[in-house]
Amino acid sequence: MSDDRRGDDGRSDGGADDRHARGDADAPPGIPWGPATGVGSMPGGDARETARQVTGTFEDFPYLPELPARGPGADMIGRTVGLLAEVYARVEPSGWRIGDRPGRDTRRARSWLGEDLDALEEFTQGYEGALKVQAVGPWTLAASLELRNGESALSDPGACRDLTASLVEGLTAHLADVRRRVPGARVVLQLDEPSLTAVLRGHIRSASGYRTHRAADRQLVEDALRQVAGVAEGVVVHSCAPDVPFALLRRAGVAGVSFDFGLLTERDEDTIGEAVEAGTKLFAGVVPGTDAPLSDPAGSVMGVRTLWRRLGLNPGTLAESLVITPSCGLAGASPAYAREALAHCVRAARSLADNPE
């Protein structure tokens, strides 16, 4: 077992009063998790048609689609910038940079989000059940946003704290808006953290590209994630990068972890088993995120069944422990493939429920 893995997962659990921090209380009772859902991004730029497609496919677990092809402000970082409270940013050639006041780029981000919410509201009239929305998590946000001097916000601990506080406030308002629009929904918040492992390992490059920022303190990382995880009754962290720190995320109190199933290695297996036994929901990305031949639905979840047998877990817990998803967002897929991939997730989940063995 590598030193990195021990660093992510090697801390012992605390006492009985640390149950939430360990993640044993992560999966909140009452969240009606559906069997399948999407990750977030979709191809194209038609918010209404995409919302119709997503809600029609995932009748038990729809989500708010993201359409980054529309341009700056509809991208993953820009969308979350538009949610921040009293923190503003603008687009520079090098990326999003923090500024003093809301400008055209921030207004555009808010406008795109409003359009997407209007479309979602239209197609979820009377809906009752789990509804997922997505935002960038505090550490990928800190790694991606530039300070005024052009350096990553990750380089400044004070800036990281300010971003976390702003994100908590902004997400609280955003989720309240979603609940107002879809009053029957149990809102699940997905935090996109593709840079989390790189932040933990000190792999984020500086503005010059000649050095990397030092590895973030794991306790600070965990604490910030715990703060953001407190804004919703169900928070899922998504990363389609290798070596997702499952145990750290459990300690931070998240309800679920979303990951690319194809990137799992043997050293992930113990922490996967611990997560399942602790009640953490696994969002298993088993369907390719870009155009690729799709196997039969049973074949798509064969690896999941094999993992369950290898871990000695009860096959009867598969359906209740897993949500089937694409491996990552579908923004880079063709519209036809994206439609088929979402439908394939539903069929694969049904196959798993019907035949867990």
Side-chain angles (χ1 to χ4, degrees), residues 263-285:
L263 296 180
L264 292 182
T265 65
E266 287 186 11
R267 64 179 185 172
D268 292 305
E269 292 186 1
D270 287 345
T271 51
I272 289 281
E274 291 166 3
V276 171
E277 291 174 350
T280 304
K281 202 78 171 182
L282 301 182
F283 286 59

Side-chain angles (χ1 to χ4, degrees), residues 57-140:
T57 302
F58 298 115
E59 297 179 355
D60 300 313
F61 202 172
Y63 67 96
L64 176 65
E66 303 166 359
L67 299 171
R70 293 178 299 193
D75 61 295
M76 182 174 73
I77 300 299
R79 189 179 188 89
T80 302
V81 163
L83 293 172
L84 294 176
E86 299 183 11
V87 174
Y88 314 107
R90 64 182 183 276
V91 177
E92 298 286 347
S94 54
W96 284 88
R97 181 171 297 180
I98 293 174
D100 296 323
R101 60 184 64 85
R104 176 184 59 188
D105 297 322
T106 300
R107 290 192 294 270
R108 184 188 297 118
R110 292 172 176 171
S111 176
W112 288 135
L113 177 59
E115 181 179 313
D116 295 339
L117 285 168
D118 288 344
L120 181 72
E121 182 179 2
E122 177 182 353
F123 290 101
T124 51
Q125 293 296 308
Y127 175 73
E128 295 183 356
L131 171 66
K132 183 167 70 69
V133 299
Q134 304 82 222
V136 175
W139 295 104
T140 295

Side-chain angles (χ1 to χ4, degrees), residues 4-5 7-9 191-198 200-201 218 225 236-250 254 256-265 267-272 275 280-283 285 327:
D4 280 344
R5 179 59 53 178
D8 288 343
D9 299 337
L191 296 175
D192 292 319
E193 283 283 15
S195 299
L196 179 59
T197 300
L200 289 167
R201 295 184 176 176
R218 291 176 183 275
L225 287 167
V236 176
V237 171
H238 167 73
S239 174
C240 48
D243 297 325
V244 176
F246 288 93
L248 182 149
L249 295 173
R250 283 181 47 229
V254 305
V257 182
S258 171
F259 56 96
D260 182 344
F261 186 83
L263 296 180
L264 292 182
T265 65
R267 64 179 185 172
D268 292 305
E269 292 186 1
D270 287 345
T271 51
I272 289 281
T280 304
K281 202 78 171 182
L282 301 182
F283 286 59
S327 60

